């Protein structure tokens, strides 16, 4: 498993997306919700989300703002700083808590897959590695559960490799 890469962002700077979409049709609202979830945003209030500011997060939210406008909604991108360090810590802690839950679920899935048959293990390993990458992309404040998930993924990979080696030897 690769080492976690640094997540550089200007200290205290966050990029915000404020948006409003019409209630009907509901498709654009659902699509936006899924994309925001995939990015791992912090929901500040209805129609206001935030991510640590860097070029990637700003561009991602700009794309979503364009999608909102194309769906006859309103959207704006803002760069802001929390007024106190405690506000930023709370925001980061909330984001880390969501990632921690995702890592716990990944860890449980890895452990469950280790007792499966070899073909099922190999399929699970591919799926869970993809899930790891998706979580990692939205993990701006890595919780301790990240390392537990990495270890469980390595254990599953070792189980797949040892099963394959045993099949070759027999």
């Amino acid at each position: 498993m690769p080492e976690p890469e640094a997540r550089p962002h200007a200290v205290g700077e966050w990029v915000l997306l404020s948006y409003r979409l019409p209630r009907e049709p509901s498709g654009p609202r659902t699509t936006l919700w899924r994309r925001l979830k995939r990015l791992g945003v912090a929901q500040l209030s209805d129609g206001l989300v935030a991510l640590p500011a860097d070029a990637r997060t700003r561009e991602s939210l700009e794309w979503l703002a364009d999608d909102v406008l194309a769906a006859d909604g309103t959207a704006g991108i803002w760069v802001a700083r929390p007024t106190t360090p405690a506000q930023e810590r709370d925001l980061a802690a909330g984001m880390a808590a969501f990632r921690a839950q995702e890592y716990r679920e990944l860890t449980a899935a890895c452990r469950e897959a280790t007792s499966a048959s070899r073909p099922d293990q190999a399929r699970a390993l591919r799926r869970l590695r993809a899930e790891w990458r998706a979580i990692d992309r939205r993990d701006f404040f890595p919780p301790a559960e990240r390392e537990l998930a990495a270890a469980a993924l390595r254990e599953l990979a070792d189980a797949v490799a040892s099963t394959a080696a045993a099949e070759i030897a027999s």
Side-chain angles (χ1 to χ4, degrees), residues 1 99-111 125 128-129 131-132 135 139 143-157:
M1 195 63 33
R99 299 301 80 79
Q101 180 59 35
E102 290 176 319
Y103 284 127
R104 283 191 293 273
E105 291 168 5
L106 182 74
T107 299
C110 287
R111 293 196 173 131
L125 180 59
L128 294 170
R129 280 181 172 161
E131 192 173 323
W132 166 272
I135 297 168
D139 187 4
E145 288 84 353
R146 182 182 196 280
E147 291 311 312
L148 297 173
L153 203 51
R154 282 190 298 271
E155 288 170 17
L156 178 57

Side-chain angles (χ1 to χ4, degrees), residues 115-136:
S115 62
S117 66
R118 185 192 173 319
D120 289 341
Q121 280 182 343
R123 276 191 295 279
L125 180 59
R126 284 189 298 276
R127 179 179 55 80
L128 294 170
R129 280 181 172 161
E131 192 173 323
W132 166 272
R133 288 188 297 273
I135 297 168
D136 188 55

Side-chain angles (χ1 to χ4, degrees), residues 12-57:
E13 225 171 65
W14 292 73
V15 61
L16 284 67
L17 167 65
S18 64
Y19 63 92
R20 241 187 126 108
L21 276 167
R23 293 232 179 260
E24 294 297 325
S26 62
R29 294 174 71 81
T30 303
T31 299
L32 179 64
W33 178 82
R34 286 182 181 140
R35 289 179 178 163
L36 290 171
K37 186 175 182 204
R38 196 170 29 244
L39 288 174
V41 299
Q43 186 84 43
L44 301 179
S45 67
D46 285 345
L48 183 62
V49 297
L51 286 171
D54 65 22
R56 179 180 64 96
T57 57

